[in-house]
Amino acid sequence: MADNKKMVEAITSMDADFAQWYTDVVKKAELCDYASVKGCMVIKPAGYAIWENIQKELDRRFKETGVQNVYMPLFIPEGLLEKEKDHVEGFAPEVAWVTHGGLEPLQERLCVRPTSETLFCDFYAKDIHSYRDLPRVYNQWCSVVRWEKTTRPFLRSREFLWQEGHTAHATAEEAEARTVQMLNVYADFCEEVLAIPVVKGQKTDKEKFAGAEATYTIESLMHDGKALQSGTSHNFGDGFAKAFGIQFADKDNTLKYVYQTSWGMTTRMIGAIIMVHGDDNGLVLPPRIAPVQIMVVPIQQKKEGVLDKAYELRDRLLKSGFSVKADDTDKSPGWKFADCEMRGIPLRVEIGPKDMEQNQAVLVRRDNHEKTVVSLDELEAKAGELLETIQRDMLEKARKHRDSHTYTAEEWDEFVETINNKPGFVKAMWCGCRECEDKIKEETGATSRCMPFEQESLSDHCVCCGKPAKKMVYWGRAY
Amino acid sequence: MADNKKMVEAITSMDADFAQWYTDVVKKAELCDYASVKGCMVIKPAGYAIWENIQKELDRRFKETGVQNVYMPLFIPEGLLEKEKDHVEGFAPEVAWVTHGGLEPLQERLCVRPTSETLFCDFYAKDIHSYRDLPRVYNQWCSVVRWEKTTRPFLRSREFLWQEGHTAHATAEEAEARTVQMLNVYADFCEEVLAIPVVKGQKTDKEKFAGAEATYTIESLMHDGKALQSGTSHNFGDGFAKAFGIQFADKDNTLKYVYQTSWGMTTRMIGAIIMVHGDDNGLVLPPRIAPVQIMVVPIQQKKEGVLDKAYELRDRLLKSGFSVKADDTDKSPGWKFADCEMRGIPLRVEIGPKDMEQNQAVLVRRDNHEKTVVSLDELEAKAGELLETIQRDMLEKARKHRDSHTYTAEEWDEFVETINNKPGFVKAMWCGCRECEDKIKEETGATSRCMPFEQESLSDHCVCCGKPAKKMVYWGRAY
């Protein structure tokens, strides 16, 4: 097991330096790499395969709610970006500008899309005429660019992959319902597939999307107690429709403006998976998102029949619908175990000559290292049960961590003390004014994560200024 | 049937004006639309759904050959683009340049990728160390930008969607084998899925990819007799490896350069589907790529039970694995028939009160308008058989069209006469020199499409200069 140890030693421990641990896992699990282009990523096969599974699962859930996929241009003419005032103010400082096409300067600069509200609006203004054309429930999978100053793999990069849904509706009520519906799709996806529990709520005006009437968010808590905004859904009311002139003839033959929403989830969720589930041995992937769910590791593979048996077990498990590989490299079993762990493969099947004699295999869970000896006659059934248990236990563990790192504070001193000494969410009452939000950020580094849909009354006064409280807010330091 | 006729009248006939017919189909079948960004497209749901099916089918075939998906950055620093001389010469005149990030000018210009050889090479130079790291068989699905002056939906646009595979191998032989393997994947995909027959061959030096040692291509013939390059696969030898310093330690412990390939297929294949299979009633989709394979159209749907029966048939067909919709709008049957035809839906199921009495439905093929009355007891089986027949017949029809529009010419006058009067491929012998190729293009507008793998000896001399012939070439005017 010497080389096993050696490999494990190669990553920094979470407690020693969480940021370095994160970078080590990203690198050693071969998820992504820095590119020569500053602030951009190369997403490697192991990382991209996770994104493909996220896409497949989200896309299926979207389509069940009537979403249709489309593709809009990569570029936004400067004049188009400027049509909605709040929106351009929010995004102009961080976009990349194309000024030359081929050998000639462009007449109008084009920005590389940081998000595509303006393009969808421009299209909808031409394409929507009548109530019969509504609702429009479109989505696209693409990359977007935001010229960030400091970047981190998956969490913040100048280019990232995402989906962006953009819808248009006949009524404000329908738009609001769609905004909430998509937030729920995200929340269910996070909990059921990524095993990441989330808090659903609304962003404050300070934190909402540029141009939105209301932004809803799901917030998750990483292992180090920092929050991660994991998906957002925006209700635009008719603000964009008025700026872009998106009108339709309603049933009563009057011209009305549409009501719009948008919603997005990004490759940063790969960062969330790492930071919620990972441990000092590396990545830990929930079975429902793992590109490889089971790795079969032969023990003493040079002994006759062992490799064949390993392939046989792999093929049996493949046939049952699991995603399986067999590690037949010439590395030692210890090295292979460590490698499986580093890559986060949920279940390991060990098979050697002694196991073969006894018609058994050893199943080892990635999440808690628990070993189960199973008869080969029930291999598929037991593997399936274990994967389901792992999925359930990972969510449960993440929920417990989240709950045990969620604190409350009624008074200012208690709030500052908690933020500074207890990494996690702090629930506290808020008067609703921007000044308190600014002060909290300035003095503690914490931001309002959301006003949760499930409100509680912790006290009658704002934790910051003491004036009457309007909302209970989740506060925290965030990625 | 009055409104049926009216709708059909709305598109230009193919024979009257093929280019206008194409634009009409793109628009009326709602495949894509022009964007406010000059030269860029909005791919609408009906168009994007075809692309999703192309992606699904190609991606599956790629993965069966060991391809892994990755994602490289959107931007290429100017210095990186310039590393391979031929490559930069080919692409620099048609790239879009980013000069500003946020509010500040960039120190080095970035081009928006027109293709990603340079990014993959830059990555491979860091990532490949040993023969154990080879082969690398990576692919990405993304959009690329080429600053074209004249554009047409799907066929030529400033931004388009594609996949680009980029591989690195230990030997020249392995690279050559992969280049041919991927060309065959494309050819099989075109014939088996898109029902488009192709000619496989090699590009001349004049027409090959900038930086390639050899470019292989599949060429298809559109209804109007013009050729369309439908997929290319390039063997780079070790040229890029030397320019980028991509070396590996081989088994014998010496440092060697890798051998590389790249291969791509794009959204222009949607244009090919339109132009190979379409007719004066609109789009005709091969069943294996059609997002909706069967449309159930109720006749006299206000009569009791008709709509329910239509839904029942739809659900039965869905259950059998077909992609099915029922048109329950308040339009007339004639309008619905024309609409189905315009959108290219392969099979229409008509069900009305009289059919119900006789426990039957009428199945109408899109490709040849043939009607079959089937007992409802065998609906699924007959629909399945018909879809298979349609797929086969469409390929056969396209093959016949291609073959009957493929001519030969031995002498110059005959060649010019054929090119000018008989739209299609012209097979003719070539001496191998650039001068003849240039003259042919200048005087006839035809380009060398490929030197087919299946060579024939039509004569002993070049059709242009009369000198000894080296290769039989497919010539044609092309998109």
Side-chain angles (χ1 to χ4, degrees):
Chain A
M1 296 289 274
D3 52 2
N4 181 357
K5 186 113 193 301
K6 195 170 149 204
M7 180 149 182
V8 172
E9 275 175 353
I11 73 169
T12 309
S13 89
M14 301 173 91
D15 291 340
D17 183 345
F18 192 78
Q20 187 58 48
W21 168 85
Y22 177 79
T23 309
D24 287 353
V25 173
V26 165
K27 203 175 164 63
K28 293 270 172 184
E30 301 190 281
L31 301 177
C32 82
D33 207 342
Y34 292 103
S36 290
V37 191
K38 214 182 144 193
C40 291
M41 305 181 274
V42 172
I43 307 183
K44 297 168 80 169
Y48 199 81
I50 296 173
W51 182 239
E52 285 183 304
N53 283 348
I54 291 175
Q55 286 188 300
K56 204 186 301 172
E57 186 63 40
L58 265 186
D59 202 65
R60 186 180 65 72
R61 288 167 187 247
F62 289 166
K63 283 176 177 157
E64 280 174 8
T65 75
V67 172
Q68 294 185 296
N69 285 336
V70 298
Y71 187 77
M72 292 282 157
L74 173 64
F75 300 122
I76 307 172
E78 189 162 16
L80 201 58
L81 187 69
E82 288 171 345
K83 275 199 170 179
E84 211 286 335
K85 215 177 117 289
D86 292 336
H87 189 68
V88 65
E89 270 179 27
F91 283 102
E94 58 174 34
V95 296
W97 291 102
V98 174
T99 57
H100 288 70
L103 305 173
E104 285 164 27
L106 299 179
Q107 291 195 312
E108 181 181 18
R109 297 200 299 177
L110 302 172
C111 87
V112 183
R113 65 180 163 223
T115 179
S116 304
E117 276 73 14
T118 54
L119 294 163
F120 276 89
C121 284
D122 185 50
F123 174 70
Y124 284 148
K126 288 192 306 183
D127 202 53
I128 293 172
H129 307 286
S130 143
Y131 69 92
R132 286 169 179 270
D133 299 327
L134 297 173
R136 281 274 194 266
V137 186
Y138 288 174
N139 174 66
Q140 72 176 357
W141 293 93
C142 63
S143 82
V144 287
V145 169
R146 297 178 186 177
W147 220 250
E148 304 280 358
K149 291 232 156 61
T150 49
T151 59
R152 300 193 59 192
F154 295 121
L155 298 175
R156 195 168 292 275
S157 49
R158 287 189 171 169
E159 183 193 12
F160 57 86
L161 304 181
W162 78 345
Q163 58 67 221
E164 47 177 326
H166 296 267
T167 72
H169 306 269
T171 66
E173 293 69 32
E174 208 183 294
E176 173 66 12
R178 175 57 72 166
T179 315
V180 173
Q181 179 182 25
M182 299 320 288
L183 193 80
N184 286 329
V185 168
Y186 290 147
D188 292 347
F189 166 75
C190 281
E191 304 212 344
E192 294 165 13
V193 180
L194 307 185
I196 296 178
V198 298
V199 178
K200 293 192 263 193
Q202 184 172 357
K203 287 282 185 193
T204 61
D205 279 352
K206 174 184 162 89
E207 299 289 337
K208 77 182 181 188
F209 183 82
E213 262 185 14
T215 288
Y216 301 136
T217 181
I218 50 171
E219 300 284 325
S220 55
L221 197 69
M222 304 298 102
H223 184 85
D224 65 346
K226 275 171 130 174
L228 189 83
Q229 178 180 305
S230 299
T232 48
S233 187
H234 317 291
N235 186 342
F236 292 125
D238 58 4
F240 274 93
K242 284 181 172 161
F244 283 81
I246 314 173
Q247 288 184 299
F248 68 100
D250 206 350
K251 287 177 189 169
D252 61 6
N253 256 320
T254 60
L255 269 184
K256 292 179 183 164
Y257 287 105
V258 301
Y259 293 84
Q260 290 173 270
T261 82
S262 82
W263 24 275
M265 187 170 265
T266 82
T267 33
R268 85 183 326 208
M269 292 318 291
I270 300 174
I273 294 169
I274 300 168
M275 291 195 294
V276 168
H277 300 302
D279 64 23
D280 281 346
N281 293 344
L283 187 63
V284 184
L285 289 171
R288 291 198 190 142
I289 208 70
V292 179
Q293 296 173 309
I294 304 174
M295 180 67 84
V296 179
V297 180
I299 313 291
Q300 296 183 273
Q301 69 187 38
K302 284 180 185 156
K303 292 232 167 138
E304 204 190 317
V306 174
L307 259 183
D308 285 342
K309 195 70 182 176
Y311 294 142
E312 181 199 317
L313 299 189
R314 176 196 61 193
D315 293 342
R316 276 175 55 185
L317 290 164
L318 276 172
K319 214 171 158 185
S320 293
F322 303 109
S323 168
V324 196
K325 286 198 170 172
D327 187 345
D328 55 8
T329 60
D330 55 9
K331 301 278 167 59
S332 72
W335 194 97
K336 292 178 185 180
F337 297 165
D339 190 56
C340 276
E341 300 233 317
M342 184 60 71
R343 294 174 192 280
I345 295 161
L347 195 62
R348 185 168 84 222
V349 175
E350 304 175 3
I351 179 84
K354 283 182 196 161
D355 300 307
M356 285 165 66
E357 270 173 30
Q358 302 190 292
N359 192 45
Q360 69 180 35
V362 183
L363 273 52
V364 188
R365 290 171 59 165
R366 171 65 184 91
D367 62 326
N368 64 7
H369 309 278
E370 205 175 273
K371 293 189 180 199
T372 315
V373 177
V374 305
S375 157
L376 290 186
D377 301 332
E378 1 173 66
L379 177 69
E380 294 89 340
K382 285 289 177 191
E385 275 169 34
L386 275 172
L387 288 172
E388 276 177 39
T389 307
I390 293 169
Q391 182 79 31
R392 206 167 42 239
D393 288 358
M394 285 178 72
L395 175 61
E396 201 42 48
K397 188 178 164 194
R399 199 190 301 281
K400 271 190 187 143
H401 177 268
R402 196 264 315 264
D403 291 348
S404 67
H405 291 75
T406 301
Y407 307 95
T408 59
E410 289 182 35
E411 309 303 331
W412 178 246
D413 289 349
E414 189 188 359
F415 182 80
V416 175
E417 164 84 14
T418 311
I419 288 282
N420 285 339
N421 298 308
K422 295 180 175 170
F425 286 131
V426 182
K427 299 193 284 190
M429 303 307 290
W430 176 52
C431 63
C433 80
R434 175 72 180 255
E435 287 70 29
C436 289
E437 219 179 335
D438 288 341
K439 182 181 167 194
I440 287 173
K441 183 165 186 190
E442 203 173 301
E443 302 207 358
T444 70
T447 49
S448 65
R449 304 315 310 155
C450 72
M451 302 178 284
F453 292 154
E454 288 183 24
Q455 284 283 312
E456 298 164 59
S457 179
L458 305 173
S459 83
D460 60 357
H461 59 279
C462 174
V463 74
C464 183
C465 68
K467 286 184 191 154
K470 284 201 179 130
K471 282 281 182 186
M472 193 267 275
V473 170
Y474 273 79
W475 305 88
R477 291 179 181 145
Y479 280 97
Chain B
M1 295 287 273
D3 52 1
N4 181 357
K5 186 110 192 303
K6 195 170 147 203
M7 181 153 181
V8 172
E9 275 176 350
I11 72 169
T12 309
S13 90
M14 300 174 92
D15 292 338
D17 183 345
F18 192 77
Q20 187 58 47
W21 167 84
Y22 177 80
T23 310
D24 286 354
V25 173
V26 164
K27 205 175 162 63
K28 292 272 173 180
E30 301 190 281
L31 300 177
C32 83
D33 207 341
Y34 293 103
S36 291
V37 191
K38 216 183 143 194
C40 291
M41 307 180 272
V42 172
I43 306 182
K44 295 168 81 169
Y48 199 82
I50 297 174
W51 182 240
E52 286 182 305
N53 283 349
I54 291 176
Q55 287 188 299
K56 206 188 298 171
E57 187 61 39
L58 266 186
D59 202 65
R60 187 180 64 71
R61 287 166 188 248
F62 289 167
K63 283 177 177 158
E64 280 174 9
T65 75
V67 172
Q68 294 186 297
N69 285 336
V70 299
Y71 188 76
M72 291 283 156
L74 173 63
F75 300 121
I76 307 172
E78 189 162 16
L80 202 58
L81 187 69
E82 287 171 348
K83 275 200 171 179
E84 210 288 333
K85 215 178 117 287
D86 293 336
H87 188 69
V88 65
E89 269 179 27
F91 283 102
E94 58 174 34
V95 297
W97 291 103
V98 174
T99 57
H100 287 70
L103 305 173
E104 286 164 27
L106 299 180
Q107 291 194 312
E108 181 181 18
R109 296 201 300 177
L110 302 172
C111 87
V112 182
R113 64 177 165 227
T115 180
S116 305
E117 276 73 13
T118 52
L119 293 163
F120 275 89
C121 284
D122 185 51
F123 174 70
Y124 283 149
K126 287 192 305 183
D127 203 52
I128 293 172
H129 306 287
S130 143
Y131 69 92
R132 288 170 180 270
D133 299 327
L134 296 174
R136 282 272 194 267
V137 187
Y138 287 175
N139 173 67
Q140 72 176 358
W141 293 93
C142 63
S143 82
V144 287
V145 169
R146 297 178 187 177
W147 220 251
E148 306 280 359
K149 292 232 155 63
T150 49
T151 58
R152 299 191 61 192
F154 294 122
L155 299 176
R156 197 169 291 276
S157 49
R158 288 190 169 169
E159 183 192 12
F160 57 86
L161 304 181
W162 78 347
Q163 59 66 220
E164 46 178 326
H166 296 267
T167 72
H169 306 269
T171 67
E173 294 69 34
E174 207 183 295
E176 173 65 12
R178 174 59 72 168
T179 314
V180 174
Q181 178 182 28
M182 299 319 289
L183 193 81
N184 286 329
V185 168
Y186 289 147
D188 293 347
F189 167 75
C190 281
E191 304 212 343
E192 294 166 12
V193 181
L194 305 185
I196 297 178
V198 297
V199 178
K200 293 191 262 189
Q202 185 173 353
K203 287 284 185 191
T204 60
D205 279 353
K206 176 182 158 89
E207 298 288 337
K208 75 182 185 189
F209 183 82
E213 265 187 9
T215 289
Y216 301 137
T217 180
I218 50 172
E219 299 284 325
S220 55
L221 197 70
M222 305 298 102
H223 184 83
D224 65 346
K226 276 172 129 177
L228 189 84
Q229 177 181 305
S230 300
T232 48
S233 187
H234 317 291
N235 186 342
F236 293 124
D238 57 4
F240 274 94
K242 284 180 172 161
F244 284 81
I246 314 174
Q247 288 183 299
F248 68 100
D250 206 352
K251 287 177 187 168
D252 61 6
N253 256 321
T254 59
L255 269 185
K256 293 179 184 165
Y257 287 105
V258 301
Y259 293 84
Q260 290 173 271
T261 82
S262 82
W263 23 275
M265 187 170 266
T266 80
T267 34
R268 85 182 327 209
M269 293 317 291
I270 300 174
I273 295 169
I274 299 168
M275 292 196 294
V276 168
H277 300 301
D279 64 22
D280 280 347
N281 292 346
L283 187 63
V284 184
L285 289 172
R288 292 200 189 139
I289 208 71
V292 179
Q293 298 173 309
I294 305 173
M295 180 67 84
V296 180
V297 180
I299 314 289
Q300 295 184 277
Q301 70 187 37
K302 283 182 184 151
K303 291 231 168 139
E304 204 189 318
V306 173
L307 258 182
D308 285 341
K309 195 69 182 177
Y311 294 142
E312 182 198 316
L313 299 189
R314 176 196 62 193
D315 294 342
R316 275 176 54 185
L317 290 164
L318 276 172
K319 213 171 159 184
S320 292
F322 303 109
S323 168
V324 195
K325 285 197 171 174
D327 188 345
D328 55 7
T329 59
D330 56 9
K331 302 277 165 57
S332 72
W335 195 96
K336 292 178 185 179
F337 297 164
D339 190 56
C340 276
E341 301 234 315
M342 184 61 70
R343 294 174 193 278
I345 294 160
L347 196 62
R348 185 169 85 222
V349 175
E350 302 175 5
I351 180 84
K354 283 181 195 160
D355 302 307
M356 285 166 65
E357 270 171 31
Q358 302 189 292
N359 193 44
Q360 68 181 37
V362 182
L363 273 51
V364 188
R365 289 171 59 164
R366 171 64 184 92
D367 61 328
N368 64 6
H369 309 280
E370 206 175 273
K371 292 190 179 196
T372 314
V373 177
V374 305
S375 158
L376 290 186
D377 301 332
E378 2 173 65
L379 177 69
E380 294 90 340
K382 286 288 177 191
E385 277 169 32
L386 276 172
L387 288 172
E388 277 177 38
T389 307
I390 294 169
Q391 182 79 30
R392 206 165 45 237
D393 288 357
M394 285 178 73
L395 174 62
E396 202 41 49
K397 188 179 167 195
R399 199 190 301 279
K400 273 192 186 142
H401 178 268
R402 196 262 316 264
D403 292 347
S404 66
H405 290 76
T406 300
Y407 308 94
T408 58
E410 289 181 34
E411 308 304 330
W412 179 246
D413 288 350
E414 189 189 359
F415 183 81
V416 175
E417 163 82 15
T418 311
I419 289 282
N420 285 338
N421 298 308
K422 296 179 174 170
F425 285 130
V426 183
K427 297 193 286 190
M429 302 307 290
W430 176 54
C431 63
C433 81
R434 174 70 180 257
E435 288 69 28
C436 289
E437 219 179 335
D438 287 342
K439 183 181 166 194
I440 287 174
K441 184 167 185 188
E442 204 173 300
E443 302 205 1
T444 69
T447 49
S448 66
R449 303 315 310 152
C450 71
M451 302 177 286
F453 293 154
E454 289 185 21
Q455 283 284 310
E456 297 164 59
S457 178
L458 305 172
S459 83
D460 59 358
H461 58 278
C462 174
V463 74
C464 184
C465 67
K467 287 185 191 153
K470 285 202 179 128
K471 283 281 181 187
M472 193 268 276
V473 170
Y474 272 79
W475 305 88
R477 291 182 182 141
Y479 281 97

